[in-house]
Structures are given as C-alpha cells and as structure tokens.
Amino acid sequence: MHKIFKMGGRLAAWAVALVWAATAGAAEGKMALKQVRGGVYVAEDSHYARENSVVYIGSAHVTVVGATWTPETARELAGQIRRVTDKPITEVINTNYHTDRAGGNAYWKSIGARIVSTRLTADEMRAGWDEVVAFTRQGFPDYPSLPLVLPDQVFAGDFSLQNDRVRAFYLGPAHTKDGIFVYFPQEKVLYGNCILKPELGNMRYADLAEYPKTLEKLKALHLDVDTVIAGHQDAEHGPELIDRYLALLHAAQ
C-alpha cells in the first residue's frame, strides 16, 4: 500500500513547483528500468523531479512511452533498454507537451526512432514549448534551454501501436490540456502519465474544472487493469489510485 500525502485547500491546488522540487539537477546513474509484467517495463527516472516513463518490448521492436527530460536522460534510458533487449527502439510517444515527456526527443530521433503524438500535443508543443522550458528552468536552473523538436507522426486522436498491444487515448483536459493515457491490455497495465500520481503535484497547467470529469470518464471505460503506473513519484499502484487522486482534487477545490 502506498502512502498518500493529502494537501488540502487552494494553496495545494496552485502549488506551482511541488513536483519540480523533488530533486535538483541531472547526473548519471539516476535511471532504473524494471519489468512490471510481460512486455511492460517502468523507467524510474530520478533526474530533476522524479518521473516514470514506460518501455514496451514487443515481438519485433521497442516502444518508449514518454521521451524523458533531456537528450542525455533519453540516452541513459536507451542504455538501460539495451541491457534487456537488442530489439530496435522504433517509436517514442510524447504523452503530453511538457519537458518530462518530450525533452528527450532529439536523442530518440538521432537513433532513428520516430516520435509520435496526438495532434493536440503537437499543437500545444508549437505554442508553448519555450514557456514550459522556462518554467522548468525556474525550478532547475541547470536544465538546458532545449530547442523545440516536434513529433514525426501526428495522430488526429486516439491511436494504437505494437499490433494493438499499446493503446493511447485522450479523455479530456487534466494535468495539461493534451495529456493522454496509455493502456496495455495484455498486461492489464494502465500508464497514468502526469495525470495520475500519489500526490497532487504541479497544478500550474491543470484544468481544475475538467480534471475530475476526465478521471470519471476513465473510470466509466471499465478497463481491465491490475496495475496503474503513475507518471511521478512512486511508480506502481493498483486501480484505486484513480479514486485517490479524485479525492485529492476534490480536497483542493
């Protein structure tokens, strides 16, 4: 059972840098790759603020879900992947437009992987990349001034990869306007992206009115889920994390 730290009131709802202040700076050896179930691995990344990305090892190639913070952290994750498989890394999903999900794009492209996202994420990246880099650097002055690196393939809406074993879908505004969930039906694993985590976290870009509605839509799907991977802080949870985060949102109103 994971401990939940509740933060009541408007102060918690508008805490600008809670997640960003978890650690400071980037250094080698802060990336751990662990198998969750089947082809699903979680990459626990302690660079800057603790974030969790996902690696899916399919029958012929690898899909990375979340590009990590920078080209350097992406390179480190690629090295971790090489320790468990020699299958090519062919695609990387930007699950939202923020630095923790798209900052590593340049490295992944350099090794021949295609970057994929929804059209909404690509649009948000074009409009807000410089601002979100500046915001990241407020919390981490040593975070690099990364240039915009857009996705190679943009989907109009929901999409699936790895012969439908990796399903990405959008349910509405939440932590950001564009964030998606990624579901692995064979493994019964849901990646919550920055939308689900054990603490309220950074709400600078959140739509507080729509956030709970988006999570209610998620519950209404009745997905067969045994494990929810949170986008930040402790990685692995049960499906009860959805209700726990809903409670945090309601307490912050």
Side-chain angles (χ1 to χ4, degrees), residues 12-16 175 200-206 208 211 245 249:
W14 293 103
V16 172
H175 171 78
L200 196 64
N202 166 39
M203 303 298 282
R204 165 73 173 266
Y205 300 93
L208 294 181
Y211 210 142
Y245 200 81
L249 287 171

Side-chain angles (χ1 to χ4, degrees), residues 36-50:
V36 177
R37 188 178 301 114
V40 177
Y41 290 70
V42 61
E44 298 179 338
D45 176 4
S46 296
H47 294 284
Y48 307 104
R50 164 76 178 271

Side-chain angles (χ1 to χ4, degrees), residues 89-102:
I89 302 166
T90 62
E91 56 206 7
V92 177
I93 304 174
N94 289 162
T95 53
N96 67 41
Y97 76 99
H98 281 185
T99 46
D100 53 343
R101 305 298 172 217

Side-chain angles (χ1 to χ4, degrees), residues 5-111:
F5 298 91
K6 295 189 176 181
M7 300 173 60
R10 299 294 295 181
L11 178 61
W14 293 103
V16 172
L18 176 64
V19 167
W20 311 93
T23 59
E28 287 300 315
K30 291 189 174 184
M31 186 83 66
L33 187 64
K34 303 191 307 184
Q35 186 175 24
V36 177
R37 188 178 301 114
V40 177
Y41 290 70
V42 61
E44 298 179 338
D45 176 4
S46 296
H47 294 284
Y48 307 104
R50 164 76 178 271
E51 68 90 8
N52 306 306
S53 299
V54 168
V55 172
Y56 186 82
I57 302 176
S59 60
H61 66 275
V62 176
T63 300
V64 176
V65 184
T68 77
W69 286 102
T70 67
E72 288 71 28
T73 61
R75 183 189 303 275
E76 187 175 346
L77 177 54
Q80 294 284 339
I81 293 169
R82 288 289 163 258
R83 294 181 183 181
V84 296
T85 183
D86 59 1
K87 294 174 183 177
I89 302 166
T90 62
E91 56 206 7
V92 177
I93 304 174
N94 289 162
T95 53
N96 67 41
Y97 76 99
H98 281 185
T99 46
D100 53 343
R101 305 298 172 217
N105 281 0
Y107 173 77
W108 299 116
K109 285 196 178 192
S110 77
I111 64 169

